[in-house]
Amino acid sequence: MTQVLDRPPVRELRASRGAGRRTVARLTLPTLLALTAIVTIVPFAAMVLVAFAPHSGRTFPDALNLSQVTLENFRHVLASSDIPRWTVNSLLYSLVSVVCVLLFASMAGYAFAKKKFPGREIMFWAFLATLMVPFQATLIPSYILVSNLNWVDSYWGLIVPTLANSQAVFLMRQFIAQLPDELFEAAEIDGAGEWRIFTMIVMPLIRPVLATLGIFVFLWHWNDFLWPLVIGQSAKMQTLTVGLATLQSQSPPINELMAGATITVVPSLLVFALLQRYLTDSITMSGLKA
């Protein structure tokens, strides 16, 4: 009888177990995020440290000696390679693609979301079905088409075939479809034309998703390797990713190779730093609507 009275009530036991599970859940997610961040940051930090280290400090822990930081690797790799030209090619390829993809995708998304025309749904789903076709399957037909147009080893051949982005159109269509129809009906009653509605109403309202999509499109093209490798057949048309691959085949010092890799990361970080506010706004808006 005494043992029964000494046992804690069942309700208190369940509450204690529930609090324990909640504590474990609260600790598990931050721990996983911290481990993921460490796994992501360590290779990047190692690349930067080796890039700024002298040739004698190409390995750890010598590279951790910050008193020997030098820019000699950057000077030598910039002088001994065509990195400035490759950087210009990558910037042209990425920035022009971002502008064109955002413009075409927003126009197509607006048409698929708010305009009624015969075969709209069939066209949209047929266009969306191209997402299931891997790029490698269309590589040879795309190259033959570009070759017949005499666009090989040119900016036209590098940029134009990548402008039809079905994933971007899908994102735009889904976002624009959530805008109220009354807004467009009021604009039409006021006498606004299609181009004015698109530029004065649609574009300002989709600014957050434009910024978000712009970041992803820039990164896709900046890091793209296969298509620039096929089209850019001369050294002057190579992009930064392809150029660094050819530079690696020449077996340069690892410090200079890491310096070149560090240069490729800078534009991506700048784009993310400039547009991260819009990325956060887009995620917040998506969360509120969900």
Side-chain angles (χ1 to χ4, degrees), residues 98-110:
V98 166
V99 173
C100 293
V101 167
L102 293 184
L103 178 62
F104 298 155
S106 57
M107 294 173 72
Y110 171 58

Side-chain angles (χ1 to χ4, degrees), residues 54-264:
H55 288 184
S56 59
R58 63 180 62 181
T59 57
F60 291 95
D62 295 338
L64 295 176
N65 188 1
L66 299 181
S67 63
Q68 298 181 354
V69 169
T70 177
L71 296 175
E72 189 61 28
N73 300 315
F74 292 90
R75 293 194 195 97
H76 192 269
V77 76
L78 288 172
S80 62
S81 65
D82 288 332
I83 281 185
R85 176 62 189 239
W86 300 338
T87 305
V88 171
N89 291 340
S90 290
L91 285 174
L92 280 174
Y93 178 45
S94 303
L95 294 177
V96 174
S97 298
V98 166
V99 173
C100 293
V101 167
L102 293 184
L103 178 62
F104 298 155
S106 57
M107 294 173 72
Y110 171 58
F112 281 127
K114 295 299 179 183
K115 296 298 157 186
K116 295 181 180 178
F117 52 88
R120 183 184 68 169
E121 295 300 321
I122 295 176
M123 289 177 60
F124 174 70
W125 290 110
F127 188 64
L128 199 61
T130 59
L131 281 173
M132 294 184 289
V133 181
F135 175 72
Q136 289 78 5
T138 62
L139 180 63
I140 294 177
S142 299
Y143 178 79
I144 293 174
L145 178 61
V146 170
S147 178
N148 290 334
L149 293 171
N150 293 323
W151 283 356
V152 176
D153 206 29
S154 70
Y155 289 114
W156 291 101
L158 185 65
I159 296 173
V160 172
T162 64
L163 299 183
N165 191 314
S166 54
Q167 190 173 358
V169 173
F170 174 73
L171 290 174
M172 286 294 178
R173 188 253 191 188
Q174 295 303 105
F175 195 88
I176 295 174
Q178 298 176 1
L179 300 178
D181 294 333
E182 292 78 8
L183 197 61
F184 300 96
E185 294 171 358
E188 290 176 356
I189 292 173
D190 289 341
E194 291 295 345
W195 182 248
R196 188 177 179 187
I197 292 175
F198 177 74
T199 56
M200 302 297 290
I201 296 177
V202 176
M203 294 300 280
L205 290 176
I206 63 173
R207 193 178 303 167
V209 73
L210 282 175
T212 305
L213 188 59
I215 293 174
F216 289 124
V217 173
F218 181 87
L219 294 179
W220 291 338
H221 288 82
W222 183 263
N223 297 321
D224 192 12
F225 180 79
L226 184 56
W227 183 246
L229 176 66
V230 172
I231 293 299
Q233 298 185 352
S234 65
K236 68 176 184 179
M237 284 304 301
Q238 288 179 345
T239 59
L240 203 47
T241 52
V242 178
L244 283 178
T246 58
L247 186 65
Q248 187 178 5
S249 64
Q250 301 171 8
S251 303
I254 188 65
N255 303 75
E256 296 177 9
L257 197 58
M258 291 298 104
T262 303
I263 292 173
T264 65

Side-chain angles (χ1 to χ4, degrees), residues 2-75:
T2 305
Q3 293 179 351
V4 173
L5 291 176
D6 290 341
R7 289 179 182 174
V10 175
R11 184 177 300 176
E12 292 182 3
L13 282 174
R14 290 177 178 174
S16 176
R17 290 173 183 171
R21 293 194 190 99
R22 287 193 293 273
T23 302
V24 171
R26 281 197 296 269
L27 293 177
T28 301
L29 182 59
T31 304
L32 290 176
L33 292 176
L35 291 175
T36 305
I38 291 172
V39 171
T40 305
I41 290 174
V42 166
F44 177 76
M47 177 188 70
V48 175
L49 289 172
V50 174
F52 283 97
H55 288 184
S56 59
R58 63 180 62 181
T59 57
F60 291 95
D62 295 338
L64 295 176
N65 188 1
L66 299 181
S67 63
Q68 298 181 354
V69 169
T70 177
L71 296 175
E72 189 61 28
N73 300 315
F74 292 90
R75 293 194 195 97

